Amino acid sequence: MAGEIEGCVEETSCGMNLRQLRERVRQYIDNHQYESAVFWADKAVSLSNGVVEDIYWYAQALYLTGQYHRASHLLRSRKLDKTHAECRYLAARCHYECKEWQLALNIINLSDQNSNQTKIFLNKSLNQSTNMSELSMSTQNMESCINLLRGKIYEAMDNRILATDYYRMALNQDIYCFEAFDRLVAHHMLSAEEEKELLESLPFNHQCPEEERDLVKFLYENRLKKYNKPGQLDIPNQLEAFTTNLDVEVNLAERHYYNCDFIRCYNITHSVLKKDPYNSLCLPLHIAVLVELKKSNELFYLSHKLVDLYPTKPVAWFSVGCYYLLINNYEPARRYLTKATTLDRMYGPAWLAYGHSFAVDQEHDQAMAAYFTASQLMKGCHLPVLYIGLEYGLTNNSKLAERFFSQALTIAPEDPFVLHEMGVIAFQNQDYTTAEQYFLDALEKVRCVSNQITIEKWETLHNNLAHTCRKLKKYKEALEYHEYALTLCPHTPSTYSAIGYVYVLMGQSLKAVDYFHKALGIRRDDSFSTTMLQQVLDVLIAETVPFGDIPNDVPSLELVDCPSNHPKFSMSSDTDEVDMDGSSDG
């Protein structure tokens, strides 16, 4: 192939310089003038009598204009996909863009005995002094590209095991192939432990210059599981320049989100979107935190803007669906979330939100179907199986709920939400000691993040811990946890009634009456508080003597002096009774 290029005459019979024509094609591609590139690339193919280099760049220009079948036919009709790896890769990529997965896979799996020569003609066209080290690195990068495409095809075909293997291979062949790493992490194809093993196995020392090793490793490590790390990742001193890098800031915001520090997460995402309003990494996180903070107006504005600008991207319709979910309008929420999953079937956040739209409406079967789909797409994420367990718990299937909670605990053993749900299952099984331990572990994980982020989301945890302590007859501790829950959510009637019940068990009926009254003051139809209040009042009435011993210091009744001739009153000299209109009261 190198001989073919060197044999090409630079000056053609028509007087056009072929080298300048090729440079013009590259220049139009660099300037995104793809139609011009297609026009002149076609002429270069004719002038060079079909040199592979010119055919390849002609196909490349066709690909960039979206003429995928035309580009593939150009390469395959000349059988270049069987002899040159770049041509084979480009032809397969064309069919991948057309969602013709099996055809793309058949093309890319063709045997190629001359793949090592393929990069030679590309490099020689750009730099005649290509040395062997550059050649081997280019060949290695081409193999990485092919394996990356294989992984994307298998993932689109729902074969996530093979997709994971090829992504790993692509990343090991080219440590800088971020797309392979991002698909493994962002699509939750690995567990937290598997991600750590992957990071440790990458050949940083062999492929990265010494001055870049720490940087590349830090940037990759910064993208790993956030919900499994309660602390923050400090930026090394030598990498302080990346403190204001937007990707690093978004990763930090995601840690705050998973740690339930929604205010700090919102502050960071809001700041990032001011600098880069359509940051694709930040937008889903910003939408999620807007839902948590119930900022419906801001989410409404963002959704309209995204739909206007990016109607073909799933994040736009995900945002619209989340808005309707936030305002409790579930039917349009499902419709728009379905559109998001149609545009990108592997868009995990939309599947989770779609499940939530059914869960809040008590439609457990549909919710579990959405969560099961999300669990297949997000193997390394514990949230889908956690929500499946919640739905089974709501349908009183505690055994299946416990199975899925245990699976979520295996994926994310440090997540307080999972620990809390394991405690709930233990409580329902009347294993109060185990339940108390799970609740205490969850509370410890919450507190180890920061003392300032114990928000109302954890009110349920404190109340459940208090219920467990009550079952274990630890009434003082139960009151302390209930009182703390009141500081998080001061207007929760169930907490007041629970405190009243603890006081009943402690024999302090008067305090119990006070708390039952407070619960009924917030929710008048609270049946538990009404029943308990009536029973406590009956006990108090039964235990109280109507007229007990009169104390000596009770003041005596003093009569008012009245005229003796008053028509209404007459005093008898030998009695203390007062006659009033012919009647007498003792």
Side-chain angles (χ1 to χ4, degrees):
M1 184 58 61
E4 291 182 23
I5 297 175
E6 290 171 359
C8 270
V9 290
E10 296 297 338
E11 190 72 30
T12 62
S13 58
C14 65
M16 181 172 286
N17 189 302
L18 187 57
R19 177 185 292 274
Q20 291 181 357
L21 185 59
R22 289 169 176 166
E23 291 177 353
R24 186 175 294 117
V25 171
R26 312 292 195 281
Q27 182 180 1
Y28 282 129
I29 290 177
D30 291 340
N31 294 336
H32 309 290
Q33 295 178 259
Y34 301 131
E35 293 294 343
S36 297
V38 168
F39 180 82
W40 291 113
D42 172 54
K43 306 310 177 283
V45 170
S46 298
L47 291 175
S48 66
N49 198 23
V51 171
V52 176
E53 173 198 10
D54 296 320
I55 295 174
Y56 173 81
W57 283 106
Y58 182 27
Q60 187 81 277
L62 290 172
Y63 174 88
L64 292 172
T65 56
Q67 302 181 66
Y68 303 123
H69 287 98
R70 188 180 174 191
S72 174
H73 181 267
L74 174 67
L75 297 169
R76 298 179 67 197
S77 62
R78 292 168 170 80
K79 301 186 184 302
L80 298 181
D81 58 316
K82 297 180 179 180
T83 56
H84 297 84
E86 281 89 345
C87 297
R88 176 161 50 106
Y89 169 76
L90 183 56
R93 185 67 187 249
C94 289
H95 291 286
Y96 170 80
E97 295 294 340
C98 297
K99 298 184 179 181
E100 298 172 352
W101 318 122
Q102 190 59 53
L103 181 57
L105 194 61
N106 292 340
I107 293 173
I108 207 169
N109 285 336
L110 289 172
S111 60
D112 179 16
Q113 300 298 327
N114 299 318
S115 60
N116 289 336
Q117 298 180 6
T118 310
K119 270 295 182 181
I120 295 177
F121 80 80
L122 291 180
N123 279 338
K124 277 188 171 294
S125 66
L126 300 177
N127 184 2
Q128 293 292 331
S129 61
T130 302
N131 55 41
M132 290 303 296
S133 63
E134 290 174 341
L135 175 61
S136 62
M137 180 59 69
S138 300
T139 303
Q140 190 172 0
N141 288 349
M142 190 67 248
E143 292 174 355
S144 175
C145 291
I146 291 175
N147 283 323
L148 173 64
L149 182 57
R150 280 195 182 103
K152 293 165 74 171
I153 294 171
Y154 278 119
E155 186 177 7
M157 297 172 69
D158 286 334
N159 192 336
R160 299 175 67 79
I161 296 177
L162 279 178
T164 302
D165 292 340
Y166 279 112
Y167 288 147
R168 286 174 179 268
M169 291 172 60
L171 191 57
N172 276 280
Q173 290 165 340
D174 180 9
I175 195 69
Y176 294 96
C177 183
F178 172 76
E179 187 176 358
F181 179 83
D182 185 57
R183 282 184 170 260
L184 288 170
V185 175
H187 292 187
H188 302 279
M189 304 184 78
L190 302 174
S191 65
E193 191 62 31
E194 289 172 336
E195 286 182 354
K196 292 179 183 177
E197 293 175 359
L198 173 66
L199 195 65
E200 292 172 357
S201 66
L202 293 179
F204 294 104
N205 295 336
H206 294 88
Q207 296 189 25
C208 298
E210 185 176 356
E211 63 274 10
E212 293 183 7
R213 291 171 190 170
D214 291 340
L215 170 62
V216 177
K217 189 171 184 179
F218 163 75
L219 293 176
Y220 281 178
E221 186 177 8
N222 193 239
R223 295 295 295 266
L224 299 185
K225 292 284 187 292
K226 284 86 177 175
Y227 50 76
N228 205 25
K229 295 181 179 181
Q232 298 181 10
L233 183 65
D234 295 328
I235 298 178
N237 294 331
Q238 65 271 26
L239 302 177
E240 288 183 357
F242 289 89
T243 304
T244 57
N245 180 268
L246 296 187
D247 279 358
V248 174
E249 288 189 20
V250 173
N251 293 334
L252 178 61
E254 193 170 354
R255 293 180 190 280
H256 288 309
Y257 179 84
Y258 284 119
N259 292 330
C260 298
D261 191 354
F262 301 124
I263 298 296
R264 294 180 69 180
C265 175
Y266 170 78
N267 290 337
I268 295 175
T269 56
H270 185 71
S271 173
V272 169
L273 292 179
K274 273 190 173 181
K275 303 172 187 175
D276 184 4
Y278 310 107
N279 187 297
S280 59
L281 182 63
C282 185
L283 280 172
L285 180 62
H286 188 65
I287 293 167
V289 79
L290 289 178
V291 173
E292 291 291 346
L293 296 176
K294 303 187 186 307
K295 293 181 176 289
S296 57
N297 291 338
E298 189 171 344
L299 184 56
F300 177 83
Y301 175 74
L302 176 63
S303 301
H304 269 276
K305 189 163 59 173
L306 289 176
V307 168
D308 289 341
L309 296 175
Y310 302 111
T312 60
K313 290 193 175 182
V315 68
W317 303 106
F318 169 67
S319 181
V320 177
C322 286
Y323 168 75
Y324 282 107
L325 189 62
L326 179 58
I327 64 173
N328 302 324
N329 198 345
Y330 304 127
E331 188 57 38
R334 293 167 194 152
R335 185 165 63 250
Y336 290 116
L337 291 170
T338 300
K339 188 166 185 176
T341 58
T342 302
L343 290 171
D344 184 359
R345 186 178 175 277
M346 291 175 285
Y347 198 71
W351 282 109
L352 290 178
Y354 187 62
H356 296 340
S357 69
F358 288 109
V360 295
D361 219 10
Q362 304 299 315
E363 298 184 28
H364 304 295
D365 292 339
Q366 293 92 331
M368 280 192 284
Y371 293 145
F372 271 114
T373 303
S375 68
Q376 294 171 0
L377 299 175
M378 306 165 70
K379 171 194 168 187
C381 182
H382 70 292
L383 294 178
V385 290
L386 172 62
Y387 294 136
I388 293 171
L390 285 172
E391 293 303 311
Y392 276 122
L394 291 173
T395 55
N396 297 320
N397 195 333
S398 58
K399 290 186 178 179
L400 280 176
E402 185 175 8
R403 180 188 302 177
F404 282 99
F405 289 147
S406 299
Q407 184 179 345
L409 192 65
T410 303
I411 300 174
E414 303 291 325
D415 190 278
F417 290 101
V418 182
L419 294 169
H420 173 261
E421 297 306 326
M422 290 295 292
V424 171
I425 291 296
F427 185 92
Q428 292 175 349
N429 293 335
Q430 299 183 2
D431 188 357
Y432 302 121
T433 303
T434 303
E436 182 187 26
Q437 189 57 52
Y438 275 124
F439 289 141
L440 288 174
D441 289 344
L443 189 59
E444 181 183 357
K445 300 302 178 185
V446 173
R447 289 175 176 172
C448 76
V449 178
S450 173
N451 293 328
Q452 299 177 352
I453 65 170
T454 306
I455 56 174
E456 63 181 48
K457 185 177 285 291
W458 299 113
E459 176 242 358
T460 305
L461 171 60
H462 286 83
N463 275 328
N464 287 342
L465 185 54
H467 294 319
T468 307
C469 290
R470 188 193 71 231
K471 288 289 187 179
L472 296 173
K473 302 186 185 303
K474 300 179 180 180
Y475 299 131
K476 184 178 179 181
E477 290 88 339
L479 286 176
E480 290 176 356
Y481 290 123
H482 278 315
E483 292 288 352
Y484 193 84
L486 277 181
T487 63
L488 299 177
C489 295
H491 302 294
T492 305
S494 59
T495 306
Y496 284 106
S497 59
I499 293 174
Y501 186 53
V502 174
Y503 277 123
V504 168
L505 297 176
M506 295 174 68
Q508 301 183 32
S509 300
L510 290 175
K511 288 187 177 180
V513 169
D514 184 34
Y515 277 96
F516 288 136
H517 275 302
K518 290 180 179 178
L520 290 170
I522 300 173
R523 188 170 63 196
R524 300 179 66 181
D525 59 345
D526 187 348
S527 58
F528 176 78
S529 297
T530 303
T531 303
M532 288 301 304
L533 179 60
Q534 185 62 47
Q535 292 181 2
V536 173
L537 289 176
D538 290 343
V539 171
L540 285 174
I541 292 172
E543 292 178 351
T544 304
V545 179
F547 298 102
D549 296 333
I550 299 177
N552 295 327
D553 57 349
V554 174
S556 60
L557 179 64
E558 297 182 0
L559 298 177
V560 180
D561 292 335
C562 296
S564 59
N565 59 351
H566 196 283
K568 295 291 184 182
F569 295 93
S570 64
M571 294 297 295
S572 173
S573 60
D574 58 350
T575 181
D576 291 330
E577 295 179 349
V578 179
D579 295 323
M580 186 174 183
D581 289 339
S583 64
S584 64
D585 295 325

